[in-house]
Amino acid sequence: MNRRDLLIRRASGKALGDTPNSTCSPCNVGNVGRFSNGVLLTHENKQVKFYDDLIRGRQVIVNFMYASCTGACPLITEKLIQVHKALKDRMGEDLFMYSLTLYPEQDDPATLKNFAQMHGALLPGWTFLTGDPYDLETIRYRLFRENHIKFDLSKGFHAAQLRIINDARNLWAHVSPNASLETILKHISWLDPPKSLEEIREENKILQEKIDADIKLHGYRRTV
Amino acid sequence: MKRLALISSLILMCLTAPAFGQTGCEFNIVGTWKATSINSVSSVIYRFEPDGTITMTSLPNSGQDSKSKEIARGTYKLDNAKSPQSILLKINGEDFDSPDRTISVKIIKYGETSFTTGSTDYDTLEWERMDATRYFLVLAGRNGVFYDRSGPTFPILIKTDGRETQVDAVGVYSRDNKPLFGTVPAELRDEFMKESRNASDVMLRLEISAPQYERGLKAMRTWDRRAKEGDLLYPNVFMDNILLVKQVTETLNQCGTTVKLYRLDAGGYDYISNDNPPSLTAYFYFKELKRLNESLHIPDVRFQEITHPAAKQARQ
């Protein structure tokens, strides 16, 4: 995509990533290599390609977990449910959540579905995934690698991280699932698709009204 | 008092529980075993087939015209491969004195290459695996080849029955003095089939069991696949190589300690990882393993005798 196309898109108010899973022209072809395209199984026992079907052109939140985890995973799942509630209008539309198992030998689709059901996480736009250990290991290193053997080999360490990706904008962010809901939502918003001119104008208008009200109440030099 | 006895027995159980009973450490009885009674010097060879049949043959005497003779045939059943307790043997032989020709022997302890059985009616037997195929792991490394003084470092797995030899090697090798990761070219691999006098080379050759070989080969083939499909875990091939050598060497002790290992995990105590760049880590890891396991190293002469039995006979 050249600068002209980008400007036309912006002017027309069309976000770069507003057509999830489409054959998006801004998607970097090289991204398949960055993510890996291994075939995984969803908790509904459906085969999907990791990049082509789940990541391409989308804004996603990815984490690793395992069904028998009694430590951090249930707490993280609870936090992700809060995130889902806060963004429920977008979930499954332009925002997706993927929870991949660290132990595919133990976690088949039925086990993952059971886990999701038990924690109330069978929600739209949220998919639990298992597959070949080879592919899951590749994805884990591609997304969460620290370039340090001790951390990279520790599966427990990877159960406590969230990766936010907007493939259309080619942006990645990382946030700890132990952070506050507000912080996590803030991190997600940093990767949101670019807003249209109308949306930006509307936001600026609301902001200006707040500033005006503030000035009216306190004056220009507000004393705290 | 009862509670004390219970706790004592639990502690005893924990202490005596075999390290073998771990994930992926199923007891594989298929193959040839030499059973020796602890009360006598007599030994019998048992051949356990995958289809559940068994053949018993006598051990050949040291005399010139002696040959091993078939004693009996029958069937066997191992109760549980994950945690074996007993083997049920049904013998069809002529000379067997058991009326129903069925005996159950209790497995007292077991490992990958040996196990011990006992029963109320028969002597305790020590079973030792004696398959014709021999397996070796060679840890090979060289420094001073690449720009940062590092060099090719890779494990080699060898399987030989005296006639045919299969050699697999995956790791960092050199092409035009550049480091590459994948299947090591045969000419470089063959340089480490013999002990080197070069001070920059390190080579440790260990004889391993069939399960150890299979586990090592599985890890090696996975890394070979990663190299071929562009799925290496790190952009730096030396980091991938560290994981490969770590996996191959650590699978040796997966079902019980057979070699002394160094804890290579970049932790605070891991001076090899902390004091060296990734490109030299695997090399110094091999050096440390060589130091720790010097007594287990198979020298060239012994290795030649195993892989070329004719050479041994000629020398004798």
Side-chain angles (χ1 to χ4, degrees):
Chain A
M1 173 176 268
N2 58 31
R3 195 186 295 173
R4 190 165 159 260
D5 291 340
L6 193 74
L7 288 170
I8 290 168
R9 252 183 116 85
R10 276 208 155 217
S12 66
K14 198 172 168 89
L16 290 176
D18 59 357
T19 47
N21 208 19
S22 61
T23 49
C24 52
S25 54
C27 293
N28 194 340
V29 179
N31 275 0
V32 180
R34 280 176 68 188
F35 288 94
S36 130
N37 208 10
V39 177
L40 304 178
L41 278 173
T42 69
H43 62 270
E44 300 290 358
N45 207 11
K46 192 181 146 201
Q47 277 197 353
V48 285
K49 281 189 171 177
F50 184 64
Y51 182 74
D52 286 346
D53 298 332
L54 304 179
I55 303 287
R56 188 187 285 272
R58 286 179 168 179
Q59 185 175 357
V60 301
I61 304 160
V62 185
N63 79 308
F64 271 89
M65 45 67 70
Y66 57 102
S68 59
C69 169
T70 51
C73 308
L75 296 172
I76 292 164
T77 307
E78 186 55 44
K79 185 60 72 64
L80 288 174
I81 290 169
Q82 290 176 26
V83 171
H84 194 285
K85 273 183 190 163
L87 300 168
K88 64 175 184 292
D89 294 340
R90 291 181 62 195
M91 284 293 171
E93 296 292 324
D94 72 336
L95 185 62
F96 298 83
M97 277 167 42
Y98 303 124
S99 296
L100 289 81
T101 179
L102 283 163
Y103 295 101
E105 303 89 347
Q106 301 167 13
D107 294 345
D108 57 6
T111 312
L112 290 177
K113 190 171 183 176
N114 195 26
F115 175 86
Q117 216 154 20
M118 198 167 70
H119 289 87
L122 272 182
L123 299 166
W126 190 349
T127 313
F128 288 80
L129 296 148
T130 185
D132 190 310
Y134 175 93
D135 291 320
L136 284 160
E137 190 79 337
T138 309
I139 294 166
R140 183 167 75 86
Y141 273 78
R142 294 274 160 91
L143 266 55
F144 294 99
R145 188 179 62 223
E146 299 273 341
N147 287 324
H148 189 285
I149 301 169
K150 193 170 177 68
F151 296 129
D152 291 338
L153 286 175
S154 163
K155 290 195 172 179
F157 176 76
H158 286 97
Q161 292 187 80
L162 284 183
R163 179 69 75 196
I164 309 155
I165 298 161
N166 188 327
D167 183 57
R169 295 185 69 193
N170 212 9
L171 290 176
W172 289 35
H174 167 259
V175 64
S176 165
N178 300 317
S180 69
L181 178 64
E182 197 187 356
T183 306
I184 294 173
L185 294 176
K186 188 62 132 179
H187 277 72
I188 295 169
S189 75
W190 290 343
L191 275 74
D192 282 349
K195 287 167 182 162
S196 66
L197 284 172
E198 286 77 24
E199 282 174 310
I200 294 168
R201 256 192 226 125
E202 189 60 31
E203 274 183 10
N204 283 349
K205 199 178 146 192
I206 293 165
L207 190 65
Q208 191 60 51
E209 280 170 8
K210 273 186 187 170
I211 294 167
D212 290 345
D214 206 40
I215 291 167
K216 203 173 174 182
L217 194 65
H218 302 288
Y220 277 103
R221 292 176 180 274
R222 183 176 176 179
T223 315
V224 180
Chain B
M1 193 64 195
K2 268 185 183 175
R3 192 183 293 170
L4 188 70
L6 183 72
I7 292 167
S8 308
S9 61
L10 280 173
I11 291 169
L12 197 69
M13 275 168 73
C14 291
L15 287 173
T16 52
F20 197 76
Q22 294 171 14
T23 325
C25 297
E26 285 190 7
F27 178 57
N28 180 17
I29 201 169
V30 175
T32 311
W33 298 83
K34 185 172 88 172
T36 310
S37 165
I38 57 161
N39 294 329
S40 65
V41 288
S42 67
S43 295
V44 175
I45 296 169
Y46 288 75
R47 170 93 199 143
F48 292 87
E49 301 292 348
D51 63 0
T53 57
I54 184 173
T55 316
M56 292 163 65
T57 48
S58 64
L59 204 65
N61 294 322
S62 53
Q64 263 191 336
D65 58 342
S66 72
K67 282 181 185 170
S68 58
K69 208 172 88 181
E70 188 175 306
I71 303 168
R73 278 174 179 268
T75 57
Y76 73 93
K77 198 175 177 201
L78 184 70
D79 63 341
N80 179 7
K82 281 182 183 167
S83 175
Q85 303 290 321
S86 64
I87 314 167
L88 195 69
L89 299 166
K90 269 189 180 178
I91 307 295
N92 309 324
E94 294 294 316
D95 304 330
F96 201 69
D97 56 358
S98 177
D100 57 357
R101 302 189 172 207
T102 301
I103 50 169
S104 174
V105 285
K106 196 179 156 200
I107 297 174
I108 299 166
K109 62 177 182 180
Y110 63 99
E112 285 180 338
T113 54
S114 66
F115 66 100
T116 308
T117 59
S119 72
T120 46
D121 303 329
Y122 302 97
D123 279 349
T124 301
L125 294 176
E126 301 278 3
W127 300 70
E128 197 185 330
R129 199 176 266 285
M130 54 172 300
D131 292 327
T133 310
R134 309 279 288 265
Y135 305 90
F136 299 90
L137 169 67
V138 180
L139 305 178
R142 176 174 292 162
N143 68 6
V145 176
F146 304 132
Y147 67 96
D148 61 352
R149 307 289 307 146
S150 64
T153 314
F154 48 88
I156 309 171
L157 281 167
I158 304 165
K159 178 184 182 180
T160 180
D161 60 1
R163 292 185 301 275
E164 282 182 30
T165 303
Q166 184 192 325
V167 184
D168 293 272
V170 175
V172 167
Y173 61 94
S174 146
R175 184 180 293 158
D176 301 329
N177 286 341
K178 283 180 190 155
L180 295 171
F181 184 91
T183 305
V184 178
E187 60 272 23
L188 175 63
R189 191 189 69 195
D190 292 346
E191 286 179 35
F192 288 93
M193 295 300 275
K194 282 186 192 165
E195 287 166 313
S196 169
R197 288 179 188 171
N198 196 335
S200 64
D201 288 356
V202 59
M203 189 262 219
L204 172 67
R205 183 164 43 211
L206 302 167
E207 179 156 17
I208 58 174
S209 67
Q212 285 175 318
Y213 172 83
E214 293 301 336
R215 290 196 296 266
L217 195 64
K218 192 181 165 196
M220 217 182 235
R221 290 203 168 143
T222 302
W223 279 99
D224 194 32
R225 183 185 161 194
R226 287 197 179 283
K228 282 177 180 152
E229 295 182 10
D231 282 339
L232 288 178
L233 300 180
Y234 290 104
N236 178 352
V237 292
F238 292 108
M239 293 284 284
D240 291 298
N241 204 36
I242 293 170
L243 289 192
L244 162 71
V245 300
K246 186 174 158 63
Q247 281 172 12
V248 170
T249 50
E250 286 179 0
T251 56
L252 294 175
N253 285 355
Q254 193 175 312
C255 302
T257 307
T258 55
V259 294
K260 287 178 190 163
L261 287 179
Y262 170 86
R263 199 166 160 189
L264 186 77
D265 65 356
Y269 37 78
D270 176 8
Y271 55 88
I272 292 178
S273 298
N274 293 329
D275 297 351
N276 297 289
S279 55
L280 282 162
T281 302
Y283 174 81
F284 283 111
Y285 177 57
F286 284 178
K287 267 201 137 171
E288 181 64 8
L289 291 189
K290 168 110 185 180
R291 188 186 69 78
L292 291 169
N293 299 283
E294 192 71 63
S295 59
L296 300 174
H297 176 68
I298 308 282
D300 280 348
V301 178
R302 225 171 105 208
F303 185 65
Q304 283 294 315
E305 286 174 2
I306 296 164
T307 51
H308 300 97
K312 184 187 176 185
Q313 286 167 2
R315 205 172 61 244
Q316 281 174 344

